[in-house]
Amino acid sequence: MTSSNLTSSTPSSSTPADRRPIVAVLVGDRPVIGLERVAALADIRETDAAGLPAAIDGADVLYLWDFFSGALEPAWQHAGSLQWLHVAAAGVDKLLFPGLVNSPVTVTNAHGVFDRPMAEYVLGAMLFAAKGFGQTRDFQRQLVWGRRTTRNIAGSRVLVVGTGSIGRCTARLLTAAGARVDGAGRNARTNDPDFGTVHASSDLAALAGGYDYLVLVAPLTPQTNGMVSAAVLDAMASTSVLINVGRGKLVDEAALVRVLDNGGIAGAVLDTFAVEPLPPSSPLWGMDQVLISPHMASDADSWLDDLALQFERNFLTWHAGKALPHPVDKMLGYVPTSSGDSRQ
C-alpha cells in the first residue's frame, strides 16, 4: 500500500464514536508538557523507547516529543491503528523509513515553530563573522587592544538555500538588516514575495561565487544530500562565509575542511554536522575561522511551550474531524509550498 504525496488525517470512521482516541507519547530526557486539554479528550500513554511497541499498539495518534529517537521503526509492526504521527521537530529525514512512507499515516512536524529563532541565529552568525566577534573575544582574553576594521551586513549578498518557512523568515529578517537576499530551491523563478529571485539549487556551483554568505536551511533529502559539494565550495569567494543551520549532510565536510585550510573561504558558522555530536577528532574544532554550535539554532527560550501549543492545536483540529494543517509530503520529505519547494 502506497501513500499519496500528501495525506490529510481526521479521526477515522473505524474509531468507534463511543471510544476515546488513544494518544501515545514518546518521552525522552525532557518531560512532556502541555497535554492537559488533550487528556480531557483522549487516553494518553506516555512511554520511553523500550515501551513504545506496547504504547502504539491500538493507538490512533503518536506524538514524538523525543524527536531524536530512532525507536519507531523497530516498533512499527505494532502501529496498525495509527492514523496520525506528529514529531516535535522541523526535520523528518530520520523518521521517514519505508514502512511509514508507504502507509496512509499522516505526518506533521513543527512547521513554523522554529522560523524566527533560526532566522535570528542566522543573522547572529552573519554579525559574528562580519564584526569579528570571535577575534574580539580572543583579543580580550589576551589583553590585546586589537582595534580593526570590520564588514557591514548592509549591502552584502546572501544566498539562502531552502525557500520554505524558515528560509522565508530568514530572508525577511536579513533584508530588514540591509542585506540583498536571493533564494535557491528546487525550482527557479522570479518575483518571489520574499526572495525576489529564486535560483535552482542544482546550479549552486555556478552561483556560489556571487555571494558573501551562503546560508543553508534546506531539509535533508536524497536530492539535497551533499549539495554543497567540493565544486560549490571551490566556487565560493575567498571572502565568503558558509552558514549551515539545515542538516550536516548537506555539506561535504572533508571538502569544507580542505577549503578552510587553504583559505578558499573566510569562515564558517556550523550548527549541524554529518555526525552528531561532532567527534573530537574533527579538524573543524581547531579552526579559528569556524564557529561550532551543538545543533541549537532553533532552541530559543520559548520553543518547548511553542511545540506543546502546536500539538494541542493540531490535536483539537484532528479531534474535531478537520484536516490537519501543513502535512509532510512523505515522498518529498518536507512540507511543500504551492511552488513545490521546501517549507522547512
Side-chain angles (χ1 to χ4, degrees):
M1 175 169 51
T2 56
S3 68
S4 61
N5 279 355
L6 288 176
T7 55
S8 183
S9 178
T10 60
S12 170
S13 57
S14 63
T15 303
D18 59 348
R19 178 175 76 76
R20 285 160 60 90
I22 299 171
V23 178
V25 183
L26 181 60
V27 182
D29 297 334
R30 187 179 294 109
V32 68
I33 62 173
L35 289 177
E36 293 80 11
R37 295 185 70 185
V38 177
L41 298 169
D43 294 334
I44 295 179
R45 300 173 179 172
E46 292 192 16
T47 184
D48 59 10
L52 186 60
I56 62 173
D57 190 0
D60 305 286
V61 177
L62 175 59
Y63 179 21
L64 292 181
W65 181 254
D66 181 9
F67 46 82
F68 285 131
S69 175
L72 181 56
E73 185 173 7
W76 185 248
Q77 61 182 313
H78 301 278
S81 300
L82 201 64
Q83 300 174 35
W84 165 40
L85 183 155
H86 180 80
V87 57
V92 296
D93 49 279
K94 295 181 180 179
L95 179 66
L96 295 179
F97 53 90
L100 174 56
V101 171
N102 296 321
S103 78
V105 175
T106 297
V107 176
T108 56
N109 67 347
H111 175 80
V113 169
F114 301 127
D115 294 2
R116 181 70 186 199
M118 293 184 70
E120 290 181 1
Y121 182 97
V122 170
L123 177 57
M126 289 176 58
L127 288 167
F128 175 89
K131 302 306 179 184
F133 290 145
Q135 189 177 29
T136 298
R137 171 62 73 174
D138 292 341
F139 283 169
Q140 179 181 337
R141 288 172 175 161
Q142 299 162 17
L143 309 181
V144 172
W145 187 259
R147 188 172 180 178
R148 61 206 187 280
T149 300
T150 63
R151 300 171 63 185
N152 286 326
I153 294 294
S156 62
R157 293 291 310 277
V158 183
L159 182 63
V160 176
V161 182
T163 58
S165 61
I166 293 173
R168 291 179 180 281
C169 187
T170 300
R172 292 191 293 269
L173 186 60
L174 300 185
T175 299
R180 295 178 290 164
V181 185
D182 292 336
R186 292 181 67 211
N187 304 304
R189 57 191 180 276
T190 56
N191 300 318
D192 184 273
D194 297 306
F195 295 97
T197 298
V198 175
H199 302 281
S201 54
S202 57
D203 295 333
L204 278 183
L207 298 167
Y211 294 91
D212 302 297
Y213 300 91
L214 183 62
V215 176
L216 309 181
V217 296
L220 181 62
T221 69
Q223 292 71 39
T224 63
N225 194 341
M227 68 191 309
V228 180
S229 62
V232 172
L233 292 163
D234 287 337
M236 293 176 67
S238 60
T239 55
S240 65
V241 175
L242 175 70
I243 300 171
N244 187 9
V245 296
R247 285 291 184 263
K249 290 183 179 180
L250 299 176
V251 180
D252 182 336
E253 285 185 3
L256 175 60
V257 169
R258 173 184 58 78
V259 168
L260 287 164
D261 261 340
N262 296 336
I265 63 175
V269 179
L270 307 173
D271 185 58
T272 60
F273 304 88
V275 177
E276 294 182 357
L278 183 65
S281 59
S282 172
L284 293 168
W285 284 110
M287 293 183 162
D288 290 339
Q289 71 273 48
V290 175
L291 178 64
I292 291 170
S293 61
H295 203 145
M296 55 175 279
S298 60
D299 299 359
D301 52 8
S302 63
W303 72 299
L304 294 179
D305 290 336
D306 291 341
L307 288 172
L309 181 59
Q310 181 184 55
F311 178 71
E312 177 187 279
R313 288 173 174 167
N314 280 358
F315 176 81
L316 295 175
T317 297
W318 176 84
H319 191 269
K322 300 176 182 178
L324 286 161
H326 310 301
V328 171
D329 185 317
K330 293 184 291 183
M331 299 298 182
L332 293 176
Y334 50 79
V335 179
T337 65
S338 58
S339 64
D341 281 329
S342 164
R343 294 287 291 182
Q344 180 171 333

